[in-house]
Amino acid sequence: MTQALTVTAKKLFFLDRNMLNLKPSSDSDRRALMFLEKNPSLSQCLIEDCGPNLTQVATIIEPVLNASSRCEISSFYIQAVTTGRTAFLTTNLPDDRATHVTSVGTSWLIGRARTCAIAIQNSSISRCHAVIGHAPDRGFYIMDVGSSNGTFVNCRRLVALEQRFLNDGDLVELSHTRIEFFISGLGKLHPACQDTQV
């Protein structure tokens, strides 16, 4: 237990020290630094992946901060972000006036249950409705986990437990809730084939 606390303290010291050394040189850098300060656990992963290069971190964060302005069909979005090693989601669900950040991971449950990574309090959405996952070599996918009212990608209903790889700009519908799906990050993104199943 003490050793785990020591490792955590060292990581936080490393993070604080690197945050102090990050010097914003543009508005984008300043916005990224503010985002990092509000999300310390995510900050640690991004700084470990990108190093103390604030401009590189800003290229990851800027699309997150501008995701709502990309929405054309719905006021709701899910922004998937990857650095290659680290993946996380941001969304304005369930409140389109605020940005919520998930924890770093490889899969995130979406549903009505409060324990879901993205909880949507809507009676047409099942308690455990769908999961968004990330396969580092293939990209982000969505899978319906047996919902009552279905999960749709670009107006096509998914069969339960079918993995559908997602492209930047896809329209995802959880029952009647329409969500635009965006992807950003470092390196080459892995665009999905429209009809790819695994």
Side-chain angles (χ1 to χ4, degrees), residues 89-164:
L89 305 176
T90 65
T91 184
N92 64 346
L93 287 162
D95 174 10
D96 65 357
R97 295 175 307 244
T99 300
H100 306 280
V101 180
T102 67
S103 57
V104 170
T106 57
S107 63
W108 304 268
L109 188 61
I110 304 170
R112 203 173 63 240
R114 294 180 193 272
T115 55
C116 291
I118 299 175
I120 306 169
Q121 299 305 309
N122 181 317
S123 61
S124 72
I125 294 181
S126 297
R127 283 187 290 277
C128 295
H129 196 102
V131 66
I132 291 179
H134 180 252
D137 57 335
R138 302 221 28 222
F140 289 92
Y141 63 86
I142 190 165
M143 179 174 58
D144 185 281
V145 292
S147 68
S148 300
N149 295 319
T151 301
F152 303 79
V153 176
N154 298 325
C155 301
R156 182 182 164 271
R157 187 175 184 150
L158 302 182
V159 175
L161 303 180
E162 168 192 0
Q163 288 183 343
R164 171 61 76 86

Coordinates of all heavy atoms in Angstrom, one line a residue, residues 89-164:
L89 N -12.9 9.5 -24.3 CA -14.0 10.1 -24.9 C -14.4 11.4 -24.2 O -14.2 11.5 -23.0 CB -15.2 9.2 -24.9 CG -15.1 7.8 -25.5 CD1 -16.4 7.0 -25.3 CD2 -14.7 7.8 -26.9
T90 N -14.9 12.3 -25.0 CA -15.5 13.5 -24.4 C -16.9 13.6 -25.0 O -17.1 13.2 -26.2 CB -14.7 14.8 -24.6 OG1 -14.7 15.1 -26.0 CG2 -13.3 14.7 -24.1
T91 N -17.8 14.2 -24.3 CA -19.2 14.3 -24.8 C -19.9 15.5 -24.1 O -19.5 15.9 -23.1 CB -19.9 13.0 -24.6 OG1 -21.2 13.1 -25.2 CG2 -20.1 12.7 -23.1
N92 N -20.9 15.9 -24.8 CA -21.8 16.9 -24.1 C -23.1 16.2 -23.7 O -24.1 16.9 -23.4 CB -22.0 18.1 -25.0 CG -22.8 17.8 -26.3 OD1 -22.9 16.6 -26.7 ND2 -23.2 18.8 -27.0
L93 N -23.1 14.9 -23.7 CA -24.3 14.2 -23.1 C -24.1 14.1 -21.6 O -23.0 13.9 -21.2 CB -24.3 12.7 -23.7 CG -24.7 12.6 -25.2 CD1 -24.3 11.3 -25.7 CD2 -26.2 12.8 -25.3
P94 N -25.1 14.2 -20.9 CA -26.5 14.4 -21.2 C -26.9 15.9 -21.3 O -28.0 16.3 -21.6 CB -27.2 13.8 -20.0 CG -26.3 14.0 -18.9 CD -24.9 13.9 -19.4
D95 N -25.9 16.8 -20.9 CA -26.2 18.2 -20.9 C -25.4 18.9 -22.0 O -24.1 18.9 -21.9 CB -25.8 18.7 -19.5 CG -25.8 20.2 -19.4 OD1 -26.4 20.9 -20.3 OD2 -25.3 20.8 -18.3
D96 N -26.0 19.4 -23.0 CA -25.3 19.9 -24.1 C -24.6 21.2 -23.9 O -23.9 21.8 -24.7 CB -26.2 20.1 -25.4 CG -27.3 21.1 -25.2 OD1 -27.5 21.6 -24.1 OD2 -28.1 21.3 -26.2
R97 N -24.6 21.7 -22.6 CA -23.9 23.0 -22.2 C -22.6 22.7 -21.6 O -21.9 23.6 -21.2 CB -24.8 23.8 -21.3 CG -26.1 24.3 -22.0 CD -26.9 25.0 -21.0 NE -27.2 24.2 -19.9 CZ -28.4 23.7 -19.5 NH1 -29.4 24.0 -20.2 NH2 -28.5 23.0 -18.4
A98 N -22.3 21.4 -21.3 CA -21.0 21.1 -20.6 C -20.3 19.9 -21.3 O -20.9 19.1 -21.9 CB -21.4 20.7 -19.2
T99 N -19.0 19.9 -21.1 CA -18.2 18.8 -21.7 C -17.8 17.9 -20.6 O -17.3 18.3 -19.5 CB -16.9 19.4 -22.3 OG1 -17.3 20.3 -23.4 CG2 -16.0 18.3 -22.9
H100 N -18.1 16.6 -20.8 CA -17.7 15.6 -19.8 C -16.6 14.7 -20.4 O -16.7 14.4 -21.6 CB -19.0 14.7 -19.5 CG -20.1 15.5 -19.1 ND1 -20.3 16.0 -17.8 CD2 -21.2 16.0 -19.8 CE1 -21.4 16.7 -17.7 NE2 -22.0 16.7 -18.9
V101 N -15.6 14.4 -19.6 CA -14.5 13.6 -20.1 C -14.5 12.2 -19.4 O -14.7 12.2 -18.1 CB -13.2 14.3 -19.7 CG1 -12.0 13.5 -20.2 CG2 -13.1 15.7 -20.3
T102 N -14.4 11.1 -20.2 CA -14.4 9.8 -19.5 C -13.0 9.5 -19.0 O -12.1 10.3 -19.3 CB -14.7 8.7 -20.6 OG1 -13.7 8.6 -21.6 CG2 -16.1 8.9 -21.2
S103 N -12.9 8.5 -18.3 CA -11.5 8.0 -17.9 C -10.8 7.4 -19.1 O -11.5 7.0 -20.1 CB -11.6 7.1 -16.7 OG -12.4 6.0 -17.1
V104 N -9.5 7.3 -19.1 CA -8.7 6.7 -20.1 C -9.1 5.2 -20.1 O -9.2 4.6 -19.0 CB -7.2 6.9 -19.9 CG1 -6.4 6.0 -20.8 CG2 -6.9 8.4 -20.0
G105 N -9.2 4.6 -21.2 CA -9.6 3.2 -21.3 C -9.6 2.6 -22.7 O -9.1 3.3 -23.6
T106 N -10.2 1.4 -22.8 CA -10.4 0.8 -24.1 C -11.8 0.5 -24.4 O -12.1 0.2 -25.5 CB -9.6 -0.5 -24.2 OG1 -10.0 -1.4 -23.2 CG2 -8.1 -0.3 -24.1
S107 N -12.7 0.7 -23.4 CA -14.1 0.6 -23.7 C -14.9 1.4 -22.7 O -14.5 1.5 -21.5 CB -14.6 -0.9 -23.7 OG -14.4 -1.5 -22.4
W108 N -16.1 1.9 -23.1 CA -16.9 2.8 -22.3 C -18.3 2.4 -22.5 O -18.9 2.4 -23.7 CB -16.7 4.2 -22.7 CG -15.2 4.6 -22.6 CD1 -14.6 5.2 -21.5 CD2 -14.2 4.5 -23.6 NE1 -13.3 5.4 -21.8 CE2 -13.0 5.0 -23.1 CE3 -14.2 4.0 -24.9 CZ2 -11.8 5.0 -23.8 CZ3 -13.1 4.1 -25.7 CH2 -11.9 4.5 -25.1
L109 N -19.0 2.1 -21.4 CA -20.4 1.7 -21.5 C -21.3 2.9 -21.5 O -21.0 3.9 -20.8 CB -20.8 0.8 -20.3 CG -22.2 0.2 -20.2 CD1 -22.3 -0.8 -21.4 CD2 -22.3 -0.6 -18.9
I110 N -22.3 2.9 -22.4 CA -23.3 4.0 -22.5 C -24.7 3.4 -22.1 O -25.1 2.4 -22.6 CB -23.3 4.5 -23.9 CG1 -22.0 5.0 -24.4 CG2 -24.3 5.7 -24.0 CD1 -21.9 5.3 -25.9
G111 N -25.4 4.2 -21.3 CA -26.7 3.7 -20.9 C -27.3 4.6 -19.9 O -26.8 5.7 -19.6
R112 N -28.5 4.2 -19.4 CA -29.2 4.9 -18.4 C -28.7 4.8 -17.0 O -28.8 5.6 -16.1 CB -30.7 4.5 -18.5 CG -31.7 5.5 -17.9 CD -33.1 5.1 -18.1 NE -33.5 3.9 -17.4 CZ -33.9 2.8 -18.0 NH1 -34.0 2.7 -19.3 NH2 -34.2 1.8 -17.3
A113 N -28.0 3.7 -16.7 CA -27.4 3.4 -15.4 C -26.4 4.5 -15.0 O -25.5 4.9 -15.9 CB -26.8 2.0 -15.3
R114 N -26.4 4.9 -13.8 CA -25.4 5.9 -13.4 C -24.0 5.4 -13.4 O -23.1 6.2 -13.4 CB -25.8 6.4 -12.0 CG -27.1 7.2 -11.9 CD -27.5 7.6 -10.5 NE -28.8 8.0 -10.4 CZ -29.2 9.3 -10.6 NH1 -28.3 10.2 -11.0 NH2 -30.5 9.6 -10.5
T115 N -23.8 4.1 -13.4 CA -22.5 3.5 -13.4 C -21.8 3.5 -14.8 O -20.7 3.2 -14.9 CB -22.5 2.1 -12.9 OG1 -23.4 1.4 -13.6 CG2 -22.9 2.1 -11.4
C116 N -22.6 3.9 -15.8 CA -22.1 3.9 -17.2 C -21.1 5.1 -17.3 O -21.2 6.1 -16.7 CB -23.2 4.1 -18.2 SG -24.3 2.7 -18.3
A117 N -20.1 4.9 -18.2 CA -19.1 6.0 -18.5 C -19.8 7.2 -19.0 O -19.5 8.3 -18.7 CB -18.0 5.5 -19.4
I118 N -20.8 6.9 -19.9 CA -21.7 8.0 -20.4 C -23.1 7.7 -20.0 O -23.7 6.7 -20.6 CB -21.5 8.2 -21.9 CG1 -20.1 8.6 -22.3 CG2 -22.5 9.3 -22.4 CD1 -19.8 8.6 -23.8
A119 N -23.6 8.3 -19.0 CA -25.0 8.0 -18.5 C -26.0 9.0 -19.1 O -25.7 10.3 -19.0 CB -25.0 8.1 -17.0
I120 N -27.0 8.5 -19.7 CA -28.0 9.3 -20.3 C -29.4 9.0 -19.7 O -29.9 7.9 -19.9 CB -28.1 9.1 -21.9 CG1 -26.7 9.2 -22.5 CG2 -29.1 10.0 -22.5 CD1 -26.6 8.7 -23.9
Q121 N -29.9 9.9 -19.0 CA -31.2 9.7 -18.3 C -32.4 10.0 -19.2 O -32.9 11.0 -19.2 CB -31.3 10.6 -17.0 CG -30.2 10.4 -16.0 CD -30.1 8.9 -15.6 OE1 -31.1 8.4 -15.2 NE2 -29.0 8.3 -15.6
N122 N -32.6 8.9 -20.0 CA -33.7 9.0 -21.0 C -34.4 7.6 -21.0 O -33.7 6.6 -21.2 CB -33.2 9.3 -22.4 CG -34.2 9.4 -23.4 OD1 -35.1 8.6 -23.5 ND2 -34.1 10.4 -24.3
S123 N -35.7 7.6 -20.8 CA -36.4 6.3 -20.6 C -36.3 5.4 -21.8 O -36.5 4.2 -21.7 CB -37.8 6.5 -20.2 OG -38.5 7.3 -21.2
S124 N -36.0 6.0 -23.0 CA -36.0 5.1 -24.2 C -34.6 4.4 -24.4 O -34.4 3.6 -25.2 CB -36.3 5.9 -25.5 OG -35.2 6.8 -25.8
I125 N -33.7 4.8 -23.5 CA -32.3 4.2 -23.5 C -32.2 3.2 -22.4 O -32.6 3.4 -21.3 CB -31.2 5.3 -23.4 CG1 -31.3 6.2 -24.6 CG2 -29.9 4.7 -23.2 CD1 -30.3 7.3 -24.7
S126 N -31.7 2.0 -22.8 CA -31.6 0.9 -21.8 C -30.6 1.2 -20.8 O -29.7 2.1 -21.0 CB -31.2 -0.4 -22.6 OG -32.2 -0.8 -23.5
R127 N -30.7 0.5 -19.6 CA -29.7 0.8 -18.5 C -28.3 0.6 -19.0 O -27.4 1.3 -18.7 CB -30.0 -0.1 -17.3 CG -31.2 0.4 -16.5 CD -31.3 -0.5 -15.3 NE -31.8 -1.8 -15.5 CZ -33.1 -2.1 -15.7 NH1 -34.0 -1.2 -15.7 NH2 -33.4 -3.4 -15.9
C128 N -28.1 -0.5 -19.8 CA -26.8 -0.8 -20.4 C -27.1 -0.9 -21.9 O -27.6 -1.9 -22.3 CB -26.1 -2.1 -19.9 SG -25.7 -1.9 -18.2
H129 N -26.9 0.1 -22.7 CA -27.4 0.2 -24.1 C -26.4 -0.2 -25.1 O -26.6 -1.0 -26.0 CB -27.9 1.7 -24.3 CG -28.8 1.8 -25.5 ND1 -30.1 1.9 -25.4 CD2 -28.5 1.8 -26.9 CE1 -30.6 2.0 -26.7 NE2 -29.6 1.9 -27.5
A130 N -25.2 0.4 -25.0 CA -24.2 0.2 -26.0 C -22.8 0.4 -25.4 O -22.7 1.0 -24.3 CB -24.3 1.1 -27.2
V131 N -21.8 0.0 -26.1 CA -20.4 0.2 -25.6 C -19.6 0.7 -26.8 O -19.8 0.3 -28.0 CB -19.8 -1.1 -25.1 CG1 -19.6 -2.2 -26.1 CG2 -18.5 -0.8 -24.4
I132 N -18.8 1.7 -26.5 CA -17.8 2.2 -27.5 C -16.5 1.7 -27.1 O -16.1 1.7 -25.9 CB -17.8 3.8 -27.6 CG1 -19.1 4.3 -28.2 CG2 -16.6 4.2 -28.4 CD1 -19.2 5.8 -28.3
G133 N -15.8 1.1 -28.0 CA -14.5 0.5 -27.7 C -13.4 1.0 -28.6 O -13.7 1.7 -29.6
H134 N -12.2 0.8 -28.2 CA -11.0 1.2 -29.0 C -10.1 0.1 -29.2 O -9.6 -0.5 -28.2 CB -10.3 2.4 -28.4 CG -9.1 2.9 -29.2 ND1 -7.8 2.7 -28.8 CD2 -9.1 3.6 -30.3 CE1 -7.0 3.2 -29.7 NE2 -7.8 3.8 -30.6
A135 N -9.8 -0.3 -30.5 CA -8.8 -1.2 -30.8 C -7.6 -0.4 -31.4 O -7.8 0.2 -32.5 CB -9.3 -2.2 -31.8
P136 N -6.5 -0.4 -30.8 CA -5.4 0.5 -31.2 C -5.0 0.3 -32.7 O -4.7 1.3 -33.4 CB -4.2 0.2 -30.3 CG -4.9 -0.3 -29.1 CD -6.1 -1.0 -29.5
D137 N -5.1 -0.9 -33.2 CA -4.7 -1.1 -34.6 C -5.9 -0.9 -35.6 O -5.6 -0.9 -36.8 CB -4.2 -2.5 -34.8 CG -5.2 -3.6 -34.3 OD1 -6.0 -3.3 -33.5 OD2 -5.1 -4.8 -34.8
R138 N -7.1 -0.7 -35.1 CA -8.2 -0.6 -36.0 C -9.1 0.7 -35.8 O -9.8 1.1 -36.7 CB -9.2 -1.8 -35.9 CG -8.4 -3.1 -36.2 CD -9.0 -4.1 -37.0 NE -10.0 -3.8 -38.0 CZ -11.1 -4.5 -38.1 NH1 -11.3 -5.6 -37.4 NH2 -11.9 -4.2 -39.1
G139 N -9.1 1.2 -34.6 CA -9.9 2.4 -34.4 C -11.0 2.2 -33.4 O -11.0 1.3 -32.6
F140 N -11.9 3.1 -33.4 CA -13.1 3.1 -32.5 C -14.2 2.3 -33.1 O -14.5 2.4 -34.3 CB -13.5 4.5 -32.1 CG -12.5 5.2 -31.3 CD1 -11.5 6.0 -31.8 CD2 -12.5 5.1 -29.9 CE1 -10.5 6.7 -31.1 CE2 -11.6 5.8 -29.1 CZ -10.6 6.5 -29.7
Y141 N -15.0 1.6 -32.2 CA -16.1 0.9 -32.7 C -17.3 1.1 -31.7 O -17.0 1.5 -30.5 CB -15.8 -0.6 -32.9 CG -15.4 -1.3 -31.6 CD1 -16.4 -1.9 -30.8 CD2 -14.1 -1.5 -31.3 CE1 -16.0 -2.5 -29.6 CE2 -13.7 -2.1 -30.1 CZ -14.7 -2.7 -29.3 OH -14.3 -3.3 -28.1
I142 N -18.5 0.7 -32.1 CA -19.6 0.7 -31.2 C -20.3 -0.6 -31.3 O -20.2 -1.3 -32.4 CB -20.6 1.9 -31.5 CG1 -21.7 2.0 -30.4 CG2 -21.2 1.7 -32.9 CD1 -22.4 3.3 -30.5
M143 N -20.9 -1.1 -30.2 CA -21.6 -2.3 -30.2 C -22.8 -2.2 -29.3 O -22.7 -1.7 -28.2 CB -20.6 -3.4 -29.6 CG -21.2 -4.8 -29.5 SD -20.0 -6.0 -29.0 CE -19.4 -5.4 -27.4
D144 N -24.0 -2.6 -29.8 CA -25.2 -2.7 -29.0 C -25.1 -3.9 -28.1 O -24.7 -4.9 -28.5 CB -26.4 -2.8 -30.0 CG -27.7 -2.7 -29.2 OD1 -28.1 -3.8 -28.6 OD2 -28.4 -1.7 -29.2
V145 N -25.4 -3.7 -26.8 CA -25.3 -4.8 -25.9 C -26.6 -5.4 -25.5 O -26.8 -5.9 -24.4 CB -24.5 -4.4 -24.6 CG1 -23.0 -4.1 -25.0 CG2 -25.1 -3.1 -24.0
G146 N -27.6 -5.4 -26.5 CA -28.9 -6.0 -26.2 C -29.9 -5.0 -25.8 O -30.8 -5.3 -25.0
S147 N -29.8 -3.8 -26.3 CA -30.8 -2.7 -25.9 C -32.2 -3.0 -26.4 O -32.3 -3.7 -27.4 CB -30.3 -1.4 -26.4 OG -30.4 -1.3 -27.8
S148 N -33.2 -2.4 -25.8 CA -34.6 -2.6 -26.2 C -34.9 -1.8 -27.5 O -35.6 -2.4 -28.3 CB -35.5 -2.1 -25.1 OG -35.3 -2.9 -23.9
N149 N -34.4 -0.6 -27.6 CA -34.8 0.2 -28.7 C -33.7 0.4 -29.8 O -33.8 1.2 -30.7 CB -35.2 1.6 -28.2 CG -36.5 1.5 -27.4 OD1 -37.4 0.7 -27.7 ND2 -36.5 2.1 -26.2
G150 N -32.6 -0.3 -29.6 CA -31.6 -0.3 -30.7 C -30.5 0.7 -30.7 O -30.7 1.8 -30.2
T151 N -29.5 0.4 -31.4 CA -28.4 1.3 -31.7 C -28.2 1.3 -33.2 O -28.2 0.3 -33.9 CB -27.1 0.8 -31.1 OG1 -27.3 0.7 -29.6 CG2 -25.9 1.7 -31.3
F152 N -28.0 2.5 -33.8 CA -28.0 2.7 -35.2 C -26.7 3.5 -35.6 O -26.3 4.4 -34.8 CB -29.2 3.5 -35.7 CG -30.5 2.9 -35.4 CD1 -31.1 3.0 -34.1 CD2 -31.2 2.2 -36.3 CE1 -32.3 2.4 -33.8 CE2 -32.4 1.6 -36.0 CZ -33.0 1.7 -34.8
V153 N -26.1 3.1 -36.7 CA -25.0 3.9 -37.2 C -25.4 4.3 -38.6 O -25.6 3.4 -39.5 CB -23.6 3.1 -37.2 CG1 -22.5 3.9 -37.9 CG2 -23.3 2.8 -35.8
N154 N -25.4 5.6 -38.9 CA -25.8 6.1 -40.2 C -27.1 5.5 -40.7 O -27.2 5.0 -41.8 CB -24.7 5.9 -41.2 CG -23.5 6.7 -40.8 OD1 -23.6 7.8 -40.2 ND2 -22.3 6.2 -41.1
C155 N -28.1 5.4 -39.8 CA -29.5 4.9 -40.0 C -29.5 3.4 -40.2 O -30.6 2.9 -40.5 CB -30.1 5.6 -41.2 SG -30.2 7.4 -41.0
R156 N -28.5 2.7 -40.0 CA -28.5 1.2 -40.0 C -28.5 0.6 -38.6 O -27.5 0.9 -37.9 CB -27.3 0.7 -40.8 CG -27.3 -0.8 -41.0 CD -26.1 -1.3 -41.8 NE -25.9 -2.7 -41.6 CZ -25.2 -3.3 -40.6 NH1 -24.6 -2.5 -39.7 NH2 -25.0 -4.6 -40.5
R157 N -29.5 -0.2 -38.3 CA -29.6 -0.8 -37.0 C -28.5 -1.9 -36.8 O -28.4 -2.7 -37.7 CB -31.0 -1.3 -36.7 CG -31.1 -1.8 -35.3 CD -32.5 -2.3 -35.0 NE -32.6 -2.6 -33.6 CZ -33.7 -2.5 -32.8 NH1 -34.8 -2.0 -33.4 NH2 -33.7 -2.8 -31.6
L158 N -27.9 -1.9 -35.7 CA -26.9 -2.9 -35.4 C -27.5 -4.1 -34.8 O -28.5 -4.0 -34.0 CB -25.8 -2.4 -34.4 CG -25.0 -1.1 -34.8 CD1 -24.0 -0.8 -33.7 CD2 -24.3 -1.4 -36.2
V159 N -27.1 -5.3 -35.1 CA -27.5 -6.5 -34.5 C -26.8 -6.5 -33.1 O -25.6 -6.0 -33.0 CB -27.0 -7.7 -35.3 CG1 -27.3 -9.0 -34.6 CG2 -27.7 -7.7 -36.7
A160 N -27.5 -7.0 -32.1 CA -26.8 -7.1 -30.8 C -25.5 -7.8 -30.8 O -25.3 -8.8 -31.5 CB -27.8 -7.8 -29.8
L161 N -24.5 -7.2 -30.2 CA -23.1 -7.6 -30.1 C -22.3 -7.5 -31.4 O -21.2 -8.0 -31.5 CB -23.0 -9.0 -29.5 CG -23.7 -9.2 -28.2 CD1 -23.6 -10.7 -27.7 CD2 -23.2 -8.3 -27.1
E162 N -22.9 -6.9 -32.4 CA -22.1 -6.6 -33.6 C -21.2 -5.4 -33.4 O -21.7 -4.3 -33.0 CB -23.1 -6.3 -34.8 CG -22.4 -5.7 -36.0 CD -23.4 -5.2 -37.0 OE1 -24.7 -5.2 -36.8 OE2 -23.0 -4.7 -38.1
Q163 N -19.9 -5.5 -33.7 CA -19.0 -4.4 -33.6 C -19.0 -3.7 -34.9 O -18.7 -4.3 -36.0 CB -17.6 -4.9 -33.3 CG -17.4 -5.4 -31.9 CD -15.9 -5.8 -31.7 OE1 -15.1 -5.9 -32.6 NE2 -15.6 -5.9 -30.4
R164 N -19.3 -2.4 -34.9 CA -19.2 -1.6 -36.1 C -18.2 -0.5 -35.9 O -18.3 0.3 -35.0 CB -20.6 -0.9 -36.3 CG -20.6 0.1 -37.5 CD -20.2 -0.4 -38.8 NE -21.3 -1.2 -39.4 CZ -22.2 -0.7 -40.2 NH1 -22.3 0.6 -40.4 NH2 -23.1 -1.5 -40.7

